[in-house]
Amino acid sequence: MLHKNTLLCAGILTAFGGGFCVTAQADVVTSIKPLGFIAAAIADGVTDTQVLLPDGASEHDYALRPSDIKRLQNAELVVWVGPEMEAFMQKPVARLEGKKTLAISMLNDVHPLLMKGDTHHESIPNADKKNDEHHHHGEYNLHIWLSPEIARLAAVAIHEKLVELMPKSKTKLDANLLHFETELAQTDKHVASVLSPLKGKGYYVFHDAYGYYEKQYGLTPLGHFTVNPEIQPGAQRLHEIRTQLVEHKAQCVFAEPQFRPAVIEAVARGTQVRMGTLDPLGTTIPVGKSGYMQFLTHLAGQYADCLKGD
């Protein structure tokens, strides 16, 4: 489907016999896809939602392109996690008007819900501590889009901003927020029922991203391979994990779509441990009004497929 501004632009070009056209796009632009899911639910039928980070890229070290900068400048509203998670966003966002930006981790209601950083940090051998500290996002775990409660607060904040920016669309925005909150409550119950039988089953995740989701649904990870997904875990770390896979009888080790699972295959080889994949960014899910519900449900399915076994 052509964007409404593209159609407008084409009309102007036809009417004036060529020349150039600058589209006045005024969309909601989010840094990462899960925030795009939330924003799309609230902005549905009012304005479009775009996501900066392409599928397969990492939110930890993305480099903005000139076209990304342009999208940020033209955006009606820019939604991101915050400077400690997405350093690449800091400078361009600082140049925008405050009322047109929203950092979810900085919201007053969100701050008390933030979890402390790496909960397994003390178990990491010294050889890997340097790598881990390079990636440590200050004091808190900022993979906050994996918390249904923080997602709800993000939706409320996006709604508030859009009502301020587009007061004529208040009725539609109100209805969208109500719909999101109702669907979220139902999805949360459904996911809890899917994951409830898996409580107490041990597993390893590839990187330390899932704390909010695991806390919400009572899951019990034994640890993670790395805090920085860009850096391969050291030999000492892998030996430690392999020992624990055998001793703790972990049911599962989880890879992620954007990182090659070769290292995980090597560690699990010759053990009874199953391999699964967790997708913390919802790369296969289209941005749309039910995207966040699909995201939570899809992740539950990925945990369940591996942990429940045969």
Side-chain angles (χ1 to χ4, degrees), residues 29-52:
V29 174
T30 70
S31 53
I32 56 170
K33 209 171 186 184
L35 293 183
F37 299 148
I38 301 166
I42 304 306
D44 182 60
V46 176
T47 188
D48 291 341
T49 299
Q50 297 183 33
V51 176
L52 281 183

Side-chain angles (χ1 to χ4, degrees), residues 27-287:
D27 298 336
V28 178
V29 174
T30 70
S31 53
I32 56 170
K33 209 171 186 184
L35 293 183
F37 299 148
I38 301 166
I42 304 306
D44 182 60
V46 176
T47 188
D48 291 341
T49 299
Q50 297 183 33
V51 176
L52 281 183
L53 201 74
D55 286 340
S58 167
E59 73 278 12
H60 301 298
D61 64 350
Y62 184 62
L64 288 171
R65 302 162 301 187
S67 60
D68 295 330
I69 303 286
K70 198 159 278 181
R71 282 157 82 192
L72 288 171
Q73 287 166 345
N74 292 338
E76 188 74 40
L77 177 64
V78 173
V79 183
W80 60 314
V81 174
E84 287 187 340
M85 171 59 80
E86 301 139 331
F88 69 89
M89 293 282 289
Q90 209 166 345
K91 278 185 185 163
V93 167
R95 296 191 191 107
L96 303 173
E97 277 181 71
K99 68 172 187 179
K100 291 194 168 193
T101 69
L102 184 60
I104 303 301
S105 65
M106 317 285 265
L107 293 170
N108 290 338
D109 290 351
V110 168
H111 200 265
L113 302 176
L114 294 180
M115 293 171 72
K116 292 288 181 184
D118 176 12
T119 49
H120 310 287
H121 202 67
E122 69 287 343
S123 70
I124 294 166
N126 289 332
D128 290 311
K129 273 200 172 132
K130 207 173 282 175
N131 290 350
D132 274 14
E133 279 156 11
H134 164 73
H135 174 72
H136 214 244
H137 299 297
E139 202 180 338
Y140 298 105
N141 176 343
L142 288 173
H143 299 84
I144 53 177
W145 61 90
L146 286 151
S147 159
E149 177 54 15
I150 292 176
R152 190 189 69 77
L153 293 170
V156 169
I158 292 166
H159 166 267
E160 206 172 281
K161 281 276 192 186
L162 289 178
V163 167
E164 191 186 314
L165 293 163
M166 307 169 183
K168 288 179 181 168
S169 300
K170 184 179 187 305
T171 306
K172 176 66 174 156
L173 291 165
D174 288 353
N176 287 350
L177 177 61
L178 182 64
H179 182 263
F180 181 85
E181 291 183 313
T182 307
E183 293 276 291
L184 183 61
Q186 290 169 356
T187 303
D188 182 49
K189 270 189 192 148
H190 168 68
V191 169
S193 71
V194 170
L195 295 178
S196 180
L198 309 176
K199 287 178 181 178
K201 295 194 173 192
Y203 59 90
Y204 272 87
V205 293
F206 184 68
H207 95 286
D208 185 31
Y210 307 94
Y212 292 95
Y213 194 86
E214 291 165 339
K215 184 181 175 188
Q216 177 82 3
Y217 299 113
L219 297 171
T220 45
L222 295 169
H224 53 264
F225 283 66
T226 178
V227 178
N228 184 350
E230 306 304 321
I231 296 173
Q232 293 282 24
Q236 192 181 345
R237 178 70 173 148
L238 294 178
H239 174 72
E240 183 192 83
I241 290 171
R242 188 174 171 84
T243 307
Q244 291 200 1
L245 290 184
V246 178
E247 285 177 6
H248 285 277
K249 300 182 172 56
Q251 314 264 330
C252 250
V253 290
F254 288 104
E256 288 177 20
Q258 62 268 55
F259 302 111
R260 285 195 299 273
V263 63
I264 293 173
E265 285 165 7
V267 166
R269 196 172 294 131
T271 71
Q272 299 301 300
V273 177
R274 289 183 294 274
M275 281 187 58
T277 300
L278 294 174
D279 180 2
L281 289 171
T283 50
T284 60
I285 296 163
V287 174

Side-chain angles (χ1 to χ4, degrees), residues 3 5-6 23-27 50 74-76:
H3 191 285
N5 294 309
T6 312
T23 60
Q25 272 178 273
D27 298 336
Q50 297 183 33
N74 292 338
E76 188 74 40

